[in-house]
Amino acid sequence: MHASLANSSLPSQVSIVEVGPRDGLQNEAAVSTQSKIEFIDRLSLSGLNHIECGAFVSAERVPQMADSTQVFAAIQRRSDVCYSALTPNLRGLEAAIDAGANRVAVFTSVSEGFNQRNIHCSVAESLKRFEALLALASKHHIPVRGYLSCVVDCPYDGATHPQKVASLAHTMAQMGCDQISLGDTVGTGTPVRIARMLDATLNHLPAHKLAAHFHDTYGQALANLYQALQMGIHVIDSSTGGLGGCPYAKGAAGNVATEDVLYLCQGLGIETGVDIHKVVDAAWYICGRLHKSPTSKVSNALKNSASD
Ligand code: HMG
Ligand code: MG
């Protein structure tokens, strides 16, 4: 058993990008600013070293993120944690800089249908917007991540061709994004389709430039992640409690739950540096504020075993 693990192509450690406070809470009922701050502060104590805390987007379009400036102002920052935000345009970047975000992320889609609904422009127009943003971010020495949505399917345009993902990921990296996060936004992917998409993309970019961002609508996210890990991906986006989804991908569930990823990694002997119990604590805290239980199997299992 040990020997086969040692010989496998799995990485020895992974980095987790915690997107719960943004991707999670953008698609849940509104919670108070204070609850978000408490949620992020708890996550900061868990060993997670990258937390996406908010989004500087139109408050009319995504009201749940309208208090991002206040959230950034009040969280208890740790020097070993990167606190990042989504920035769709220059205005968003300026707000993120004022708020003291350590890192920002631009976002576009491989598909035109989703892009038009999400950010009201074509893929080409979105890239044009990013040019000015990347230039200003570079002036301020702020690294920019690039999200690419609908890498498997688009809710409006149907199946996505892997070559399109590869080519756009390459373009975004060439423009200056230091990492490309590949989003199965609708969560319809299965391991073989993920493998095809990654295979095409890895022909253009090395694995260390990529991250896996898988929503769990059909319950395939962990299987898809296992596939991605075997192909050398070692940055995983996940959302504590399995919260969220995207307002412009109707019916899409939240990201794979952080605690479920931690449990998988623990079982595979992959180092994460994160305390699963502290993440589970944060999951129950924020879900309590939302009057629901975490969708995460691990959060539920650990709570049940603790109450025995
Ligand atoms: P626009 O719709 O093209 O139009 O905005 P606009 O530029 O004329 O602006 C419209 C309104 O937004 C105006 O306000 C602007 O002032 C305001 P109004 O005059 O009507 O009162 N505005 C802003 N407000 C705050 N911050 C800004 C900003 N920019 C303009 N930075 C825009 C384009 C992208 C801003 C808009 O369409 C928008 O905010 N869309 C929401 C996008 C969003 O947050 N989607 C969810 C996150 S993406 C996601 O979840 C996918 C991901 O997780 C990966 C995956 O799973 O695949 C990342
Ligand atoms: Mg997402």
Side-chain angles (χ1 to χ4, degrees), residues 8-92:
S8 82
S9 50
L10 292 169
S12 57
Q13 62 181 72
V14 298
S15 301
I16 294 190
V17 177
E18 169 59 46
V19 296
R22 192 282 302 172
D23 203 332
L25 294 182
Q26 76 181 7
N27 209 42
E28 300 284 349
V31 291
S32 71
T33 306
Q34 193 46 47
S35 302
K36 289 183 183 182
I37 294 162
E38 173 73 26
F39 179 40
I40 294 167
D41 286 348
R42 288 183 189 222
L43 293 170
S44 284
L45 296 175
S46 70
L48 285 163
N49 57 18
H50 185 166
I51 305 175
E52 198 170 68
C53 299
F56 295 97
V57 298
S58 153
E60 204 171 308
R61 303 284 311 278
V62 189
Q64 292 93 328
M65 292 290 109
D67 58 355
S68 292
T69 294
Q70 292 90 310
V71 169
F72 269 92
I75 50 176
Q76 290 198 4
R77 294 184 190 228
R78 289 179 55 107
S79 58
D80 54 349
V81 180
C82 168
Y83 299 94
S84 68
L86 282 195
T87 52
N89 51 19
L90 259 186
R91 177 171 163 189

Side-chain angles (χ1 to χ4, degrees), residues 78-133:
R78 289 179 55 107
S79 58
D80 54 349
V81 180
C82 168
Y83 299 94
S84 68
L86 282 195
T87 52
N89 51 19
L90 259 186
R91 177 171 163 189
L93 175 63
E94 282 158 3
I97 292 172
D98 288 347
N102 303 118
R103 191 172 177 181
V104 297
V106 293
F107 51 106
T108 190
S109 172
V110 191
S111 61
E112 297 291 348
F114 180 77
N115 234 20
Q116 286 295 350
R117 269 94 174 172
N118 195 35
I119 54 173
H120 282 171
C121 67
S122 68
V123 177
E125 284 161 347
S126 70
L127 296 180
K128 194 85 202 126
R129 278 183 195 172
F130 299 161
E131 278 174 17
L133 190 157

Side-chain angles (χ1 to χ4, degrees), residues 203-280:
N203 276 330
H204 291 74
L205 287 173
H208 72 262
K209 286 266 179 196
L210 302 173
H213 180 103
F214 298 157
H215 285 262
D216 200 26
T217 319
Y218 285 81
Q220 303 296 300
L222 276 181
N224 292 341
L225 271 182
Y226 188 59
Q227 178 65 49
L229 287 169
Q230 285 181 306
M231 295 178 77
I233 306 301
H234 51 82
V235 180
I236 299 173
D237 296 1
S238 58
S239 170
T240 289
L243 295 176
C246 177
Y248 301 100
K250 199 165 176 284
N255 290 85
V256 64
T258 304
E259 55 273 42
D260 294 5
V261 174
L262 294 174
Y263 187 83
L264 173 71
C265 289
Q266 201 173 293
L268 293 169
I270 299 174
E271 185 60 45
T272 62
V274 184
D275 182 335
I276 193 168
H277 297 285
K278 291 191 173 153
V279 170
V280 167

Side-chain angles (χ1 to χ4, degrees), residues 152-154 184-190 193 215-218 220 224:
V152 176
D153 285 314
C154 170
D184 178 9
T185 317
V186 275
T188 47
T190 50
R193 297 187 70 201
H215 285 262
D216 200 26
T217 319
Y218 285 81
Q220 303 296 300
N224 292 341

